Amino acid sequence: ILNVEQSPQSLHVQEGDSTNFTCSFPSSNFYALHWYRWETAKSPEALFVMTLNGDEKKKGRISATLNTKEGYSYLYIKGSQPEDSATYLCAFKYNNNDMRFGAGTRLTVKP
Amino acid sequence: SQTIHQWPATLVQPVGSPLSLECTVEGTSNPNLYWYRQAAGRGLQLLFYSVGIGQISSEVPQNLSASRPQDRQFILSSKKLLLSDSGFYLCAWTPGLAGEQYFGPGTRLTVT
């Protein structure tokens, strides 16, 4: 069973707070792990594609780490801003084409 | 640059009616194409993917079908819609094996 779990389901933080959330995935048949940012009424936007155990990626205030042996990835946001409010999706790719998405973490940043 | 189009943007259909959603990609050739659905309060579910013309793989059995009549065209269809088919449908493409997916603007389908 290919379950991709994201936690927490939702998160409310104050502007300026740093936050992180988790994506758990099967540790076998790993191909890639994707993170997406999905704002209401828009399409999901790719943040990171991670393929190697120990990968760390960074884009501005957002960074992600990957542990393929234990099957988890963390997404960190430093100094959250209201414009960071969105649903953050992770997706586990287990072959050339098949991806399983988690249900997402809905982040709300209050000014 | 590459762009992906979906239409219609919103659709309200009665139970039992047929469905056809279209997705086209511009600016690339031989893309891998995907159909996803997000049901209310749930994550994205992969419905179909295609690696080439006429090649369709189905993730879950359901009353939906997909076709790829041209290299950059992907169509999602149903002969008879169910209430449970309501949701937000996203088309996506990827240029290669492990690359990120690029999503279209989506279609909001409400089955009444």
Side-chain angles (χ1 to χ4, degrees):
Chain A
I1 295 177
L2 292 166
N3 282 331
V4 179
E5 305 285 344
Q6 288 189 250
S7 62
Q9 191 173 36
S10 65
L11 196 54
H12 295 254
V13 301
Q14 289 294 133
E15 181 176 356
D17 287 350
S18 294
T19 187
N20 66 85
F21 12 97
T22 306
C23 173
S24 301
F25 52 86
S27 56
S28 58
N29 298 319
F30 179 84
Y31 199 91
L33 193 284
H34 295 220
W35 280 101
Y36 292 86
R37 180 172 179 273
W38 195 4
E39 289 183 71
T40 303
K42 294 185 178 180
S43 306
E45 173 194 351
L47 289 173
F48 305 114
V49 179
M50 309 176 81
T51 56
L52 297 175
N53 184 42
D55 254 357
E56 292 189 26
K57 299 265 177 132
K58 186 174 182 182
K59 186 183 288 188
R61 293 179 291 99
I62 304 176
S63 60
T65 60
L66 178 68
N67 184 322
T68 60
K69 293 183 180 179
E70 296 182 36
Y72 65 84
S73 176
Y74 295 136
L75 188 78
Y76 302 90
I77 302 179
K78 185 178 179 181
S80 303
Q81 299 297 309
E83 57 266 29
D84 295 328
S85 297
T87 295
Y88 291 83
L89 296 170
C90 73
F92 168 67
K93 194 162 190 175
Y94 54 97
N95 60 33
N96 285 356
N97 289 293
D98 291 329
M99 298 230 309
R100 286 279 187 271
F101 277 82
T105 292
R106 183 182 294 277
L107 175 67
T108 304
V109 183
K110 300 176 184 177
Chain B
S1 64
Q2 302 89 1
T3 55
I4 178 168
H5 304 278
Q6 278 186 252
W7 62 90
T10 60
L11 194 58
V12 180
Q13 292 282 100
V15 168
S17 63
L19 172 74
S20 181
L21 303 180
E22 189 164 343
C23 170
T24 57
V25 181
E26 294 179 357
T28 187
S29 59
N30 197 31
N32 291 348
L33 296 171
Y34 304 81
W35 277 112
Y36 291 92
R37 175 173 64 195
Q38 184 197 29
R42 304 180 72 174
L44 280 179
Q45 178 187 31
L46 177 63
L47 301 176
F48 300 96
Y49 67 88
S50 172
V51 299
I53 295 174
Q55 300 178 62
I56 308 293
S57 295
S58 173
E59 274 294 293
V60 292
Q62 56 212 333
N63 67 319
L64 300 172
S65 61
S67 61
R68 186 168 176 176
Q70 299 181 49
D71 181 45
R72 291 169 290 173
Q73 184 185 32
F74 205 22
I75 298 173
L76 183 70
S77 304
S78 174
K79 292 182 179 178
K80 288 186 178 181
L81 283 168
L82 306 172
L83 283 174
S84 57
D85 291 324
S86 293
F88 189 58
Y89 289 80
L90 282 165
C91 179
W93 74 279
T94 184
L97 299 178
E100 60 197 40
Q101 292 197 345
Y102 299 92
F103 288 85
T107 295
R108 173 81 54 195
L109 172 67
T110 304
V111 182
T112 59

